[in-house]
Amino acid sequence: LAAVGIPEDNLRFRQHLQNEMAHYACDCWDAECKTTYGWVEIVGCADRSCFDLNAHAKATSTKLVAKQTLDTPVTREVVEVVLNKAAVGKAFKKEAGGVTAAIQNMEDEEKVRMKEQLQSDNFKLVVGDTSYEITPAMIKSVEKVSKTEHVREFVPSVVEPSFGIGRILYCILECNFKVRENDEKRTWLDLPPLIAPTKCSVLPLSGSPDFAPFVQELSAALRKLGIPNKVEDSSGSIGRRYARTDEIGIPFGITIDFDTVKLQTVTVRDRNSCSQIRVPVSETPELINKLCTDQMTWTEAKQIYPEFLAQESNN
């Protein structure tokens, strides 16, 4: 969330109270963003544990487990039930297989409880929506035995994150809509390069035909690197065109001017600080690519290339 532009000061995680937890969850946390409407849930993370697979396994009398081959065999005690298959088959006919599987899949504690109850009464086995009466005659023995396991069986747990994309987009826009200091008419959208739909603008200083080849060359080079860019050659001063690109959240701008024709250099402008640097044309596409992919910060770029001041004064 921070990477897509929501300030960390506007984020918090809140754990659900027990009385608001979903029936399938053993724990649940919401990521919330502070907006003008207050704290708004934008992501829900529910620990469903193995609720779903256990529910399906119980309803279908089918083992739903994952298996892991152990490097070293493990010996452990388990409770083993030996059934009188003839008695079970006679009592339950076609359903005998499901009843047998349900008994074998019971937890050890439940098997022990069944053994204790069968000493004085029948045991009620529930499979899905159906209950079955298990009599002492159907069970030969319930004993603890030692088993050496070469494969570990376990029911996988599930953590379910749920992202409210519409809410996240709203929070990004609200948190990143800003106004220039000392000029409330100049608004800008502080979208991180990671999510900005257009990552760079290419701006000829004027309509001079000498600039056209450089505009085409740079725009094509950026597209080749997979960088969405916009040629901003509409009417108005360069300062007004900078403002237009700022309003739609374009992080960087390349300006072609008369020094580009003479010296083969352009200015690269940072939307957030409005500062500019002078960069050789041949190095500009790769520089923009590094800035847009977090391989280089604007501060680092300013240490490599000379700062340029003149055009921003036209804003």
Side-chain angles (χ1 to χ4, degrees), residues 17-227:
L17 299 174
Q18 199 62 39
N19 61 2
E20 61 179 336
M21 198 93 70
H23 69 280
Y24 53 75
C26 63
D27 197 8
C28 190
W29 290 77
D30 289 341
E32 298 181 334
C33 178
K34 189 175 184 180
T35 70
T36 52
Y37 296 99
W39 288 98
V40 176
E41 174 197 345
I42 54 177
V43 181
C45 297
D47 182 356
R48 299 181 72 108
S49 186
C50 47
F51 174 87
D52 302 281
L53 289 177
N54 281 342
H56 286 302
K58 186 175 181 181
T60 60
S61 300
T62 303
K63 287 179 71 172
L64 297 175
V65 297
K67 295 183 178 182
Q68 177 187 23
T69 302
L70 300 176
D71 295 332
T72 305
V74 175
T75 301
R76 66 185 185 93
E77 284 193 339
V78 297
V79 177
E80 189 174 78
V81 178
V82 178
L83 296 171
N84 183 339
K85 293 184 179 180
V88 172
K90 183 177 179 181
F92 303 120
K93 305 291 192 294
K94 293 180 179 180
E95 296 176 309
V99 171
T100 299
I103 292 174
Q104 298 297 351
N105 290 336
M106 290 165 58
E107 297 292 336
D108 285 356
E109 295 79 2
E110 187 71 2
K111 291 176 182 177
V112 172
R113 191 175 72 82
M114 178 181 69
K115 176 183 179 181
E116 293 172 351
Q117 188 168 333
L118 286 174
Q119 292 174 359
S120 57
D121 198 0
N122 292 340
F123 176 78
K124 185 178 180 181
L125 175 69
V126 178
V127 181
D129 296 328
T130 307
S131 61
Y132 302 91
E133 288 289 328
I134 306 299
T135 65
M138 298 176 186
I139 307 296
K140 288 184 177 180
S141 64
V142 180
E143 302 293 342
K144 281 188 177 182
V145 297
S146 293
K147 279 195 172 183
T148 300
E149 295 183 342
H150 298 270
V151 177
R152 182 173 76 96
E153 291 187 351
F154 62 95
V155 182
S157 295
V158 174
V159 174
E160 177 191 30
S162 178
F163 291 80
I165 299 300
R167 294 185 182 193
I168 292 172
L169 285 173
Y170 172 80
C171 291
I172 290 171
L173 293 174
E174 180 177 308
C175 291
N176 290 284
F177 179 80
K178 298 182 179 179
V179 178
R180 293 289 180 198
E181 190 175 354
N182 301 323
D183 190 351
E184 62 182 22
K185 292 183 179 179
R186 288 188 58 191
T187 59
W188 57 295
L189 200 55
D190 187 12
L191 295 179
L194 176 68
I195 64 167
T198 304
K199 303 188 186 302
C200 185
S201 58
V202 181
L203 307 97
L205 187 63
S206 68
S208 170
D210 294 337
F211 298 157
F214 295 98
V215 172
Q216 294 170 7
E217 175 190 343
L218 286 165
S219 182
L222 291 170
R223 286 197 303 273
K224 191 174 182 180
L225 290 172
I227 302 171

Side-chain angles (χ1 to χ4, degrees), residues 203-208 211 215 232 236-238 241-242 255-258 311 314:
L203 307 97
L205 187 63
S206 68
S208 170
F211 298 157
V215 172
E232 174 51 81
S237 68
I238 191 66
R241 284 185 282 153
Y242 286 153
T255 303
I256 293 95
D257 57 17
F258 293 103
Q311 289 167 4
N314 292 327

